Amino acid sequence: MNTLTAKNTDTLMEPRAIRKTKPESAISIKNLNVHAGSHHILNNINLEIPKNKVTVLLGPSGCGKTTLLKSLNKLTDLYKELDVSGSVFIGKDDILNSNHNIPALRQKMGLLSQKPYPLPVSIFKNVAYGLKLKGVKDKKLIAYNVEQKLKEVGLWEEVKDRLHSSADSLSIGQQQRLCLARGLAVKPQIILADEPTSALDPVSSKIIEERFRELKKYYTIVIVTHILRQAQRLADNVVFMHYGKIIEQGTPEAVLKNPQSSQLKEYLVDGF
Amino acid sequence: MLTALVLILLFPLLIGVALLFKSIPLLNADSIVNLLFSDNWAPNSGKFGFWPFIFSSLYVTVLSFIFSAPLCLLAAIYLTEFASARLIRIMHPVIDILAGIPSVIYGMWGILVIVPFVGDYLAPVFGLNSSGYSILAGGIVLAIMCIPYMLNMLIETFKSVPYGLKEAGFSLGATHWETIKHIVIRKSRPGIISAFGLGMAKAFGETLAVMMVVGNIARITGNPFEAGYPLPALIANNYGEMLSIPLYDSALMFAALVLFVVVLLINLVFRYLIIASNPAKV
């Protein structure tokens, strides 16, 4: 018995030791290319996005950050002019080439876009929508989840008395937090955020950023941002892009404090 | 500029007042309820019951709406959500050309194609005998005439739904169809209603093409294979012809007033529906 236990412990220990040196990836991008007509938007992207860390995609406008983010949950489907090739693995499933249930794969990722887009329904239904799509019918369970998620993003106290009024009646900052709650309600493993604070006032931006700092304990987060200070505050891993290519990546200390490429050096000078 | 604006705003009012003024002799001769809801149309003996005309107008309008609205809705969804960019580029001029065809051509085409189709093929399927000149033929021709207007407006409406909203639907795990059903259509509701309203108002007021295929017999019938006589056709057929009959002139003015008021009512009802359906109100 003892020897068996020892063997089991050994086999359990081994992968853990490997994980320490090489962090597990939540998303693994292989040879991703995106064209829009003759324009090569993403040029052979290979990238590992570490699990339960914040990865910040940084770069000048038009460098392909947003397209990269949208490729991760195959939102590129919506844009007929885009031609996408390569692979994006979410766990074992390649979302770009999978015959798997794409909506179910997308539910593993919550999206927060630049501007909040509340659904044209009530505050309550906004958060409940994803659950309904998942087939949850139990009204008590839905109501419980709506309350929990609204609390998680710090919106509950502000809206608990008007859950059934239109989501459009909220301020932009509140709407953005509602969209975050809506995304969290489907229990994703990953949060994709495309400049989530760029349309917000400083106070709302601060609230959203604080939420991210909380959320990074439980979720893998990928954020596109222009704001270098935000990148420094939030990032565990920084990816710098330029004209559709990844130029540098690493910890914020390594990338932002000690840039190697001329493009990044130039960007950091202009950016600060 | 202000004068021009005031003039534009005053026009409908002036038209309404003029029609009302001209209708007074008839209104003095009979009660308005009788005029609107009596089916006794015998101008020679001074009986002016407009119900057969109002009924025919409503009937062809409703038929045309039933034929065109679902078709336009589905076509607009297909064009904005699924079709290739090339197809949309081809469809735009086609729709514009359809809207620009004079109504007399639609009428001719109705006589050449729709009337024989209804009389020789469709009516026998139901075991009925019809000349083809019928409410149904009027409804079909009207539906085809309304399509470009409704379709154009619906396409614009669906196109104006932000990509961000659709992305939100997709990212929450909705399929493309669920995103269209729950988000795109819901967000577009005011636009859809106003497109439908425009189509209906146009159908109700359309004169020439309908007049050419509808048969023009004043009677009330539920059978769409029989002839009808819509209000605009009554006015266009008889104005200038029958004015020797006492009160006929005033009767036609009253018919025009009814037409005017109904189109106004359709607009008001749809305006109300647009406000009531505003997604902001949930």
Side-chain angles (χ1 to χ4, degrees):
Chain A
M1 273 306 273
N2 276 343
T3 42
L4 263 177
T5 324
K7 257 189 185 173
N8 279 348
T9 328
D10 273 355
T11 46
L12 275 174
M13 284 303 286
E14 232 169 27
R16 215 177 280 165
I18 291 168
R19 240 177 264 150
K20 261 184 190 167
T21 51
K22 193 183 172 196
E24 197 181 341
S25 292
I27 305 174
S28 177
I29 304 165
K30 309 251 186 249
N31 306 324
L32 178 67
N33 280 285
V34 178
H35 289 86
S38 59
H39 183 38
H40 202 165
I41 303 177
L42 291 181
N43 193 341
N44 206 30
I45 301 287
N46 286 287
L47 182 65
E48 300 292 323
I49 300 204
K51 200 172 177 178
N52 291 1
K53 303 265 184 225
V54 177
T55 298
V56 168
L57 303 179
L58 200 66
S61 300
C63 70
K65 312 181 292 281
T66 297
T67 308
L68 176 59
L69 195 78
K70 285 181 181 170
S71 306
L72 300 184
N73 63 349
K74 214 177 181 226
L75 285 183
T76 41
D77 275 3
L78 265 170
Y79 302 84
K80 289 168 202 142
E81 68 277 15
L82 293 184
D83 181 20
V84 183
S85 65
S87 300
V88 172
F89 288 94
I90 312 295
K92 283 178 187 156
D93 296 309
D94 177 1
I95 190 168
L96 296 184
N97 305 297
S98 168
N99 295 325
H100 263 79
N101 192 349
I102 300 292
L105 279 177
R106 283 195 181 120
Q107 284 192 328
K108 290 185 175 177
M109 289 168 271
L111 175 78
L112 199 58
S113 47
Q114 234 173 67
K115 248 178 69 185
Y117 286 103
L119 306 178
V121 287
S122 68
I123 295 168
F124 184 92
K125 284 184 182 165
N126 257 279
V127 187
Y129 183 62
L131 292 169
K132 286 197 173 152
L133 289 174
K134 274 192 153 183
V136 181
K137 291 209 169 71
D138 184 349
K139 284 189 177 161
K140 273 188 186 162
L141 185 66
I142 292 177
Y144 172 78
N145 265 291
V146 169
E147 184 179 337
Q148 284 308 309
K149 296 303 156 188
L150 287 172
K151 280 181 175 164
E152 219 166 290
V153 300
L155 196 59
W156 176 251
E157 287 302 320
E158 293 161 58
V159 301
K160 65 180 182 192
D161 300 322
R162 49 173 176 146
L163 287 173
H164 297 285
S165 54
S166 164
D168 288 334
S169 65
L170 299 173
S171 74
I172 296 267
Q174 288 172 325
Q175 284 183 12
Q176 191 66 315
R177 278 182 282 153
L178 177 70
C179 291
L180 182 57
R182 179 179 72 185
L184 295 178
V186 291
K187 298 209 167 65
Q189 299 155 7
I190 301 160
I191 297 172
L192 308 175
D194 185 6
E195 298 185 37
T197 59
S198 67
L200 306 185
D201 60 275
V203 178
S204 304
S205 300
K206 205 177 155 207
I207 297 175
I208 289 278
E209 232 181 76
E210 276 168 8
R211 291 300 134 195
F212 273 125
R213 240 172 277 158
E214 279 293 306
L215 292 169
K216 78 182 206 185
K217 294 176 196 156
Y218 314 102
Y219 301 89
T220 301
I221 302 179
V222 186
I223 303 182
V224 166
T225 186
H226 271 306
I227 311 163
L228 287 167
R229 285 177 211 283
Q230 191 173 52
Q232 272 179 333
R233 282 194 296 265
L234 289 174
D236 298 310
N237 181 30
V238 176
V239 177
F240 174 70
M241 293 177 68
H242 199 256
Y243 284 116
K245 285 183 184 163
I246 293 177
I247 306 292
E248 284 189 46
Q249 60 166 311
T251 60
E253 292 76 27
V255 174
L256 299 176
K257 299 263 163 64
N258 190 18
Q260 302 295 315
S261 62
S262 57
Q263 294 102 318
L264 181 55
K265 280 178 190 160
E266 204 176 304
Y267 182 75
L268 291 177
V269 171
D270 293 346
F272 281 116
Chain B
M1 246 156 69
L2 191 67
T3 328
L5 184 71
V6 170
L7 270 178
I8 290 168
L9 292 175
L10 268 180
F11 263 131
L13 191 68
L14 287 176
I15 294 171
V17 169
L19 290 175
L20 182 64
F21 184 71
K22 285 280 200 177
S23 310
I24 286 172
L26 185 73
L27 287 166
N28 283 336
D30 208 341
S31 78
I32 186 151
V33 176
N34 241 344
L35 288 172
L36 288 177
F37 299 110
S38 156
D39 56 2
N40 188 1
W41 179 257
N44 284 322
S45 37
K47 300 286 183 203
F48 293 96
F50 282 93
W51 184 237
F53 304 100
I54 298 171
F55 179 82
S56 284
S57 277
L58 292 173
Y59 202 167
V60 287
T61 304
V62 168
L63 274 186
S64 86
F65 182 75
I66 291 170
F67 296 144
S68 59
L71 201 70
C72 287
L73 197 60
L74 293 175
I77 289 172
Y78 176 74
L79 284 171
T80 49
E81 293 291 331
F82 299 102
S84 65
R86 200 167 145 254
L87 184 64
I88 298 169
R89 269 204 304 278
I90 297 169
M91 276 308 285
H92 263 300
V94 171
I95 295 169
D96 288 346
I97 290 166
L98 278 176
I101 294 175
S103 60
V104 66
I105 295 178
Y106 280 105
M108 292 295 291
W109 178 78
I111 291 173
L112 287 172
V113 179
I114 300 297
V115 168
F117 170 70
V118 170
D120 302 340
Y121 296 97
L122 216 51
V125 171
F126 294 93
L128 296 166
N129 199 8
S130 167
S131 69
Y133 288 94
S134 58
I135 302 253
L136 182 61
I140 295 173
V141 170
L142 266 184
I144 294 163
M145 291 181 73
C146 290
I147 282 172
Y149 294 92
M150 274 200 210
L151 189 56
N152 228 347
M153 212 161 151
L154 287 172
I155 289 174
E156 290 310 316
T157 304
F158 290 141
K159 267 210 271 190
S160 69
V161 174
Y163 269 95
L165 256 184
K166 294 187 218 170
E167 286 178 356
F170 271 59
S171 70
L172 289 170
T175 60
H176 197 167
W177 181 241
E178 282 167 334
T179 305
I180 292 168
K181 204 167 74 175
H182 300 148
I183 297 172
V184 175
I185 293 187
R186 199 182 173 100
K187 185 77 182 171
S188 310
R189 231 161 33 177
I192 295 172
I193 293 170
S194 69
F196 286 173
L198 179 83
M200 267 193 135
K202 181 161 169 57
F204 196 83
E206 172 53 36
T207 312
L208 198 61
V210 188
M211 193 168 92
M212 290 166 80
V213 299
V214 84
N216 300 330
I217 299 171
R219 65 173 162 209
I220 294 172
T221 170
N223 180 356
F225 290 97
E226 286 188 23
Y229 206 161
L231 273 173
L234 169 75
I235 303 166
N237 269 338
N238 298 305
Y239 197 77
E241 298 275 331
M242 314 283 278
L243 299 184
S244 54
I245 300 171
L247 285 178
Y248 209 112
D249 172 37
S250 185
L252 292 182
M253 287 300 172
F254 181 71
L257 182 67
V258 172
L259 192 64
F260 181 77
V261 170
V262 173
V263 171
L264 214 65
L265 278 179
I266 292 177
N267 277 310
L268 283 178
V269 167
F270 276 93
R271 182 113 325 251
Y272 169 76
L273 288 175
I274 290 165
I275 295 166
S277 75
N278 193 339
K281 290 179 75 181
V282 185

